[in-house]
Amino acid sequence: MWMIELPPFAPFFIGALLVLATSGVLRAAIMLVVPILGALNLWMTPEGIHLQLMFLDYQLIPYRLDKLSLMFGYIFHIAALLGIIYSLHLRDTVQQVSAMLYAGSGLGAVFAGDLLSLFVFWELLAFTSVFLIWARRSQRSFAAGMRYLIIQVLSGVILLIGAIFYAKEHNSLAFDYIGLDSVAGWLIFIAFGIKCAFPFAHNWLTDAYPEATVTGTVFLSAFTTKVAVYSLARGYPGIELLVYIGAAMTCFPIFFAVIENDLRRVLAYSLINQVGFMVVGIGIGTALAINGAVSHAFNDVIFKGLLFMSMGAVLHMTGRINGSELGGLYKTMPKTTVFCIIGAASISAFPLFSGFVSKSMVMSAALEEGYDWIWLMLLFASAGVFHHAGIKIPYFAFFAHDSGIRANDPPLNMLLAMGIAATLCIGIGVYPQAMYSLLPFDTGYNPYDATHVLAQTQLLFFSALAFVWLNKKGLYPPELPSTNLDIDWFYRKVFPKALHRSSIMIIKLDSNIRQSAQQKMETQLSWIRAKCQGGKEGASGNYPLGSMTLWVAVVLGVYLFLSVLK
Amino acid sequence: MKDEKPGLFDSPRNVKILLGGFYICCIALLVLDFVIHRHIIHRWESLWGFYPLYGFVGCSILVFVATWMRSFLMRDEDYYEKDQHSDNQQKQLATQKGANDVDD
C-alpha cells in the first residue's frame, strides 16, 4: 500500500527548490525524475479526498482525486516530462524553476476540491508562467508578458469575488457543479472563460504565447487553457451557452490563422480552435460529449505540444519564425519535418492519428443531440484546422519556395521529446482503447467504423484539394510580413490613444480654468489696489516696509521711555 | 554549399507524381461513396459527395474571406512598436534641445 499521499503539486514545488540549489547534470536529473515520480505517486493513489483542512468555518480540500481530475493529472505529467526533455539543453535557471512551478500549479488546480484552493493555484499559474514569456528578455516579450499577467490576474480576481459570493449563497466552498443561476455562478463562469480564451477574451493567448521562449511556449500551450477546460467540465457541464461559445471559438480563429505570418501565432490561433471543440463537448454535456472533450484535451496537449516543439525547433535553429522568411527546410531538417507532419496529421484528425479518436466523439454527440448547425460549424472548423495547421504550417516552414536557409535538425533532446510526442500521437490513434479506459464515462464508443473514417478522409482530402487548387491559381494569400489587428487593438491602440487624448484635454481644460481664475483674481486685486491708492480710505496703502519698522521702533521707544519714567 | 544535392521536390517531375497520386486518391474517395454503405444521422449526409463538397467549398470560402479580411486588418509589422519608437525619438530630441528642462 502507498503510504505517503503527497499532493501532486508537491513534488514539482520541491523539485523547483532543488533545481534552484543545483546545477548541471544533477539539475537535469532532478527535473527528469520529478514528473516520473509524480506520475507514479498519482497512479498509486486511490480516488477520494486525501487532504482537507478548516479555514474560517469553511472546509478546504486541496487534494481531491476522481476520474475527471485524474485524466488531467496524467496528461499534465506527460506534458511536463515532454517539456523538460525538450528544454534539457537550456542553461537558464529562471525558465527551469518557473516551468517546474507552473506545472505544479496546473496540477494543484485540477486536484483542488474547493474554490479557494482553486483560486490560489489559478493565480500561481499566472505568476509562474509569465517568467517563461519574460525569459525571452526583449522589450516586446516584456510588454506582452505584462498584458498577459494583467489579464490572468484579473481572471483570478473575478474568480475570488465569485467564490466569496458562492460561499455566502451556499455556505460552502466545495467545487462541484456550479451552474448559471446565481451571480456567483456568472462571475466564476467569466473567470473560467477568460482563461479558456472565450471570444473577445482570447487575445492574451495569441498575444503572449508567440512571444515566449522556444521552450516556454511548449509549457504554456499545455497547462493554462486545459486547467480552464477542466474547470468548465467540473462546474458547468451541460450548460447550453457553452455549445454556442465553443462553436464560435472553433470558427473565428481559423480566419486569422490563414492570414497570420508568425507560425507560432498560427498555432496559438489553432489552439483556441481546438479548445472550442472541448467547450462544445462540455456544453452538450452527455457522457459521450464530456468524454470527447476530456480526451480531446488529453490529445491536444500532446499534438499541440508537438507542433509548438517543431516550430520551436525551427525558431531555435534558424532564428526565424515568420512564414514569409522560411521555406525549403525539409532538405536539412528532415526529422523535424516528419515530426511536424505527424503533429499536423493529428490535429487535423486523420484516421489513425490521435485527434481523430477524440474529435469524432464531440462531432457525433453534436449530431445525436440535434445540434445540426453547430455540427456544420464544427465540420467547417475541422476542414479549416487542416487547412491552416495541417497544411499551412508544414508547407510554409518546410516546403514552399526555398528560402536558402540551411539549418540542421535541432539538438538530440529536442528530437527525443518530439519523437516521444509523435509516438504517442500515433499510438493513441491506432489503439485508442488505452486512453478510453481512463475516461470518466464508459460509452463503448468506437471511432473506426466505415462511416466515420470515410467521411473524415473525404473532408480532409478535398480540403487539401482546395489548397492545391487555390495555390495553383495564385489565389492563396501569400505570407506577408504584417501585423493583423485583433481585439488587442482596442487595448493596445484605441484605449491608450483615447487616454492620451483625454489626458491632454484635461490638462488643457485645467490650465484654462486656472488661467481665467488667475485673471479674475488679478482684476479684483487691481480694482482693490486702485481703490486704496486713489481714495486713500481703504484698509491699506502702499506704505513702505521701512517706515512701518520705524514707527514700531518709535512706539517701543516711547513705551520704554514711559516705563523708565515710572 | 555549391555541390548541394537537389531536394526531393526540386524536380517538377516528382511534384507532378505526388500531385497525380493525390488526385487519384481524391477520385477514389468520391467513388467509395457509392460502394460503402454509411449509417447516417443527418439527412444531408446521404447526399452524394456531401463531405468532399463541404470540405472543398468550405476551405475556398475560408481562404477568400480571410484574404478579404486582410484589406482592413493588415498593418505593418511594427505597427504596435511604431508609436513607442516615435515617442522615444521625440524624447531624445527633446533632451538634446533641453526642451524638457524643469527650470524653464
Side-chain angles (χ1 to χ4, degrees), chain A residues 140 254-256 258-259 322 330-331 367-368 372-373 375-377 379-380 383-384 387 399 406 449-451 454-455 457-459 461-466 468-470 472 475-485 488-489 492-493, chain B residues 1 4-10 19 22-23 25-27 29-30 32-33 36-39 41-42 44-45 50-52 54-56 58-67 69-70 72-81 83-84:
Chain A
R140 221 178 136 106
I254 56 181
F255 292 97
F256 284 91
V258 168
I259 49 174
N322 288 339
Y330 77 95
K331 293 175 190 169
L367 261 185
E368 279 173 14
D372 290 355
W373 288 101
W375 172 69
L376 282 179
M377 285 172 82
L379 210 55
F380 170 68
H387 207 85
F399 303 101
R406 295 288 175 264
D449 62 8
T451 312
L454 179 64
T457 321
Q458 284 178 333
L459 185 78
F461 266 77
F462 279 80
S463 305
L465 191 65
V468 173
W469 175 66
L470 289 164
K472 285 210 149 187
L475 291 170
Y476 198 83
E479 296 292 291
L480 296 173
S482 58
T483 305
N484 293 309
L485 304 185
D488 60 349
W489 180 64
R492 291 175 71 181
K493 207 77 184 187
Chain B
M1 286 211 266
E4 189 185 69
K5 223 170 50 176
L8 189 63
F9 300 110
D10 279 342
L19 283 180
F22 174 67
Y23 295 143
C25 283
C26 286
I27 294 166
L29 280 168
L30 260 185
L32 274 180
D33 238 11
I36 293 180
H37 172 73
R38 349 164 156 246
H39 335 272
I41 302 176
H42 198 279
W44 292 343
E45 284 184 279
F50 168 73
Y51 283 101
Y54 196 83
F56 189 86
C59 276
S60 306
I61 291 174
L62 166 68
V63 169
F64 290 135
V65 172
T67 315
M69 279 164 65
R70 264 197 174 161
F72 56 91
L73 288 182
M74 196 165 80
R75 296 289 184 277
D76 288 340
E77 208 170 8
D78 58 347
Y79 174 70
Y80 287 114
E81 281 83 36
D83 281 358
Q84 291 171 356

Side-chain angles (χ1 to χ4, degrees), chain A residues 239-517:
Chain A
I239 297 287
E240 202 182 346
L241 179 62
L242 284 175
V243 176
Y244 305 111
I245 294 176
M249 287 170 73
T250 59
C251 285
F252 88 88
I254 56 181
F255 292 97
F256 284 91
V258 168
I259 49 174
E260 178 57 51
N261 190 25
D262 182 331
L263 294 182
R264 290 204 302 172
R265 190 157 280 130
V266 173
L267 287 177
Y269 276 113
S270 86
L271 178 54
I272 301 175
N273 156 284
Q274 294 300 306
V275 171
F277 281 96
M278 300 164 209
V279 173
V280 171
I282 295 166
I284 295 170
T286 57
L288 181 64
I290 296 282
N291 267 359
V294 173
S295 57
H296 202 51
F298 192 92
N299 288 336
D300 181 73
V301 167
I302 302 172
F303 61 62
K304 190 46 64 64
L306 175 56
L307 284 169
F308 269 119
M309 284 194 262
S310 65
M311 284 303 109
V314 168
L315 176 63
H316 183 70
M317 299 310 291
T318 68
R320 271 160 254 209
I321 197 60
N322 288 339
S324 56
E325 299 167 21
L326 293 170
L329 289 175
Y330 77 95
K331 293 175 190 169
T332 50
M333 298 179 80
K335 295 188 186 106
T336 313
T337 310
V338 170
F339 291 140
C340 179
I341 289 174
I342 292 173
S346 303
I347 196 175
S348 314
F350 261 98
L352 298 180
F353 290 90
S354 64
F356 178 74
V357 302
S358 49
K359 200 197 271 181
S360 55
M361 273 195 259
V362 177
M363 310 271 287
S364 300
L367 261 185
E368 279 173 14
E369 296 305 306
Y371 288 106
D372 290 355
W373 288 101
I374 299 296
W375 172 69
L376 282 179
M377 285 172 82
L378 295 186
L379 210 55
F380 170 68
S382 297
V385 72
F386 176 49
H387 207 85
H388 72 257
I391 305 178
K392 175 177 166 158
I393 294 271
Y395 180 74
F396 283 107
F398 299 109
F399 303 101
H401 69 284
D402 193 339
S403 60
I405 302 172
R406 295 288 175 264
N408 291 326
D409 268 321
L412 189 66
N413 64 305
M414 286 182 151
L415 287 174
L416 183 65
M418 287 192 271
I420 297 172
T423 312
L424 283 171
C425 282
I426 297 173
I428 293 171
V430 173
Y431 183 66
Q433 282 72 20
M435 183 188 63
Y436 287 172
S437 69
L438 294 172
L439 286 171
F441 304 101
D442 186 14
T443 56
Y445 181 78
N446 175 28
Y448 287 114
D449 62 8
T451 312
H452 273 132
V453 173
L454 179 64
Q456 183 68 9
T457 321
Q458 284 178 333
L459 185 78
L460 294 179
F461 266 77
F462 279 80
S463 305
L465 191 65
F467 182 83
V468 173
W469 175 66
L470 289 164
N471 234 333
K472 285 210 149 187
K473 291 266 168 207
L475 291 170
Y476 198 83
E479 296 292 291
L480 296 173
S482 58
T483 305
N484 293 309
L485 304 185
D486 198 345
I487 294 293
D488 60 349
W489 180 64
F490 287 101
Y491 57 80
R492 291 175 71 181
K493 207 77 184 187
V494 178
F495 291 148
K497 233 178 194 169
L499 206 68
H500 185 69
R501 278 203 191 137
S502 58
S503 63
I504 286 179
M505 253 167 52
I506 289 170
I507 289 170
K508 236 181 198 166
L509 197 73
D510 174 70
S511 79
N512 281 349
I513 291 172
R514 276 163 199 267
Q515 246 168 22
S516 73

